[in-house]
Amino acid sequence: MATETTHVRQRIQSLYNTFSDKEKQIADYMLQNPETIVHSTINQVADQLSLADATVFRFCKRLGFKGYQAMKIALASDIIEPIEDIHETIQENDTEAEVMSKVFQSNKNALTYTQEVLDESTVRQAVQYLLEASELHFYGSGGSGVTAQDGQHKFMRTGLPSHAYTDSHWQVMAASQLKPNDVTIVISHSGANEDVLEAMDVAKEQGARIIAITSYAKTPISQKADLTLQTISRETEYRSEALASRLAELSLLDGLYVNYCIKKKDQAQEAVAKIRKAVARKKL
C-alpha cells in the first residue's frame, strides 16, 4: 500500500464508479470543495451532507486512509501541489485529432499517477521474490490475459521459466504444480475475478508467493496477495478505465523485468542470445 501522503483526488477518481450513492455524494463534495474539507471537522462535513459521522469515516477508510484526519492531511498536500485532472472527457463533437490527443493524455495520466503511488519497499520485495523463484506464472482473464501473456513474453528473455495462463482450469492446474518461493503474478483490473482468486488459493497451498497487479483499491485480490502493485486510471464516456490501466500494468511488468535483468545479468544475456539465435531462423 502506498504511504498516506497525497493522491486523495486520484483515489476518489479511480474508485468513483464503484461508490454507493452516499459515497458519491461525499466524493463529489470533496472534489468540489477540497479547501473546505481541509478546514472542517468530520462533524461539520457530515452535517453539511446530512450524513452520519460514521458514513464519512467509512468513506475515508474506503479510500485507504486510517481515518478522516489522515485523509485531511493528504488532501492538504494535494492542494499545496495542485494536480492536473486525471483525464479529459471525450465529447461527441471532438475532432479526430482532439480525440486522439485526449486518449494519449488519459494514457499519460494513468502512467504518471501509477508511478506516483508506487511504494519503493513493495517494488524491492517483488524483485526479491522473483530472484528467489525457480518458476514464474502469470494469471489473467479477458483483457488481463493479454497483459499476462505480455509478461511471459518479457520474462522468457530472462532465463527464468515463465508461463502465462488465461484459462481458469489451466490456472488452477498450473498453480497446483508450483513450489515454495515460486512466484505467481496475477493481473486483474477489477481485483475481483473469481477464477483468478481460486487459482491464488491453490498457489498459496503450494507455498508460492503472489504479486497482484490491480487497480488502486482494496480488492479481494489485493487483500489475498502477498504484495500488490496498484494502477490508477479513470473511465471515460467512450473508454473503460481498464483500457487506460493496461499501459500502467505493462509498465509495471517492464519495471520488474528490467530490475530482474540487472540482478541476473549473465543469466538474462545468455537467454537473450539463445532466443535471438532461434528467432533468426524465422528471418529471410
Side-chain angles (χ1 to χ4, degrees):
M1 186 75 179
T3 54
E4 293 184 351
T5 53
T6 55
H7 319 300
V8 179
R9 284 178 283 191
Q10 292 101 312
R11 297 186 192 198
I12 291 174
Q13 290 166 328
S14 178
L15 294 170
Y16 191 85
N17 289 328
T18 70
F19 289 157
S20 65
D21 290 341
K22 287 184 178 180
E23 288 173 333
K24 286 182 178 179
Q25 183 183 354
I26 301 171
D28 290 339
Y29 186 75
M30 285 187 174
L31 291 173
Q32 295 165 13
N33 307 281
E35 293 186 2
T36 300
I37 293 289
V38 170
H39 296 97
S40 300
T41 65
I42 190 171
N43 311 82
Q44 291 171 328
V45 172
D47 288 344
Q48 180 68 30
L49 298 172
S50 299
L51 297 172
D53 292 3
T55 304
V56 178
F57 179 81
R58 285 194 297 271
F59 179 77
C60 296
K61 296 278 287 184
R62 175 78 187 277
L63 295 179
F65 295 99
K66 293 178 180 178
Y68 180 76
Q69 189 62 28
M71 183 280 299
K72 272 182 40 171
I73 294 172
L75 185 58
S77 181
D78 273 356
I79 294 172
I80 292 172
E81 299 178 9
I83 62 171
E84 185 179 348
D85 194 344
I86 201 165
H87 84 297
E88 294 184 40
T89 302
I90 295 173
Q91 306 292 336
E92 288 186 9
N93 59 352
D94 284 344
T95 66
E96 291 82 355
E98 287 173 334
V99 169
M100 189 70 73
S101 176
K102 290 181 178 181
V103 168
F104 270 70
Q105 186 60 52
S106 176
N107 287 341
K108 287 191 287 186
N109 285 339
L111 290 173
T112 297
Y113 293 121
T114 295
Q115 181 184 15
E116 288 185 356
V117 299
L118 269 181
D119 181 70
E120 184 178 344
S121 62
T122 301
V123 173
R124 187 184 307 113
Q125 189 63 62
V127 173
Q128 188 60 39
Y129 279 3
L130 293 171
L131 293 173
E132 296 173 0
S134 57
E135 190 169 338
L136 173 61
H137 287 188
F138 295 90
Y139 300 157
S141 300
S144 294
V146 177
T147 308
Q149 290 173 327
D150 182 82
Q152 179 195 13
H153 186 258
K154 287 184 176 72
F155 274 87
M156 190 180 294
R157 292 165 167 75
T158 66
L160 173 63
S162 306
H163 313 275
Y165 299 98
T166 60
D167 177 86
S168 61
H169 286 82
W170 281 69
Q171 287 169 359
V172 293
M173 290 168 62
S176 72
Q177 302 303 303
L178 288 167
K179 299 176 291 297
N181 290 344
D182 282 346
V183 173
T184 294
I185 296 181
V186 298
I187 302 156
S188 172
H189 178 72
S190 69
N193 185 283
E194 292 184 2
D195 292 334
V196 172
L197 283 165
E198 189 173 24
M200 291 173 72
D201 287 335
V202 176
K204 275 187 172 292
E205 290 171 3
Q206 306 309 311
R209 292 162 165 173
I210 300 174
I211 301 171
I213 296 181
T214 187
S215 62
Y216 197 83
K218 288 185 177 179
T219 64
I221 282 176
S222 65
Q223 292 174 328
K224 186 168 290 190
D226 296 298
L227 297 173
T228 301
L229 298 172
Q230 294 153 318
T231 63
I232 287 185
S233 60
R234 186 175 178 183
E235 186 168 338
T236 65
E237 182 69 21
Y238 297 97
R239 197 162 183 253
S240 75
E241 59 182 318
L243 290 176
S245 72
R246 190 73 42 76
L247 288 176
E249 293 167 354
L250 293 171
S251 296
L252 289 173
L253 290 175
D254 279 347
L256 293 177
Y257 163 73
V258 174
N259 268 293
Y260 185 90
C261 288
I262 291 172
K263 302 290 186 182
K264 295 276 192 177
K265 182 177 179 180
D266 292 341
Q267 174 185 306
Q269 287 180 339
E270 181 181 356
V272 169
K274 289 180 179 179
I275 288 175
R276 285 176 178 169
K277 182 178 179 181
V279 172
R281 302 179 183 184
K282 299 290 186 180
K283 298 180 181 178
L284 294 177

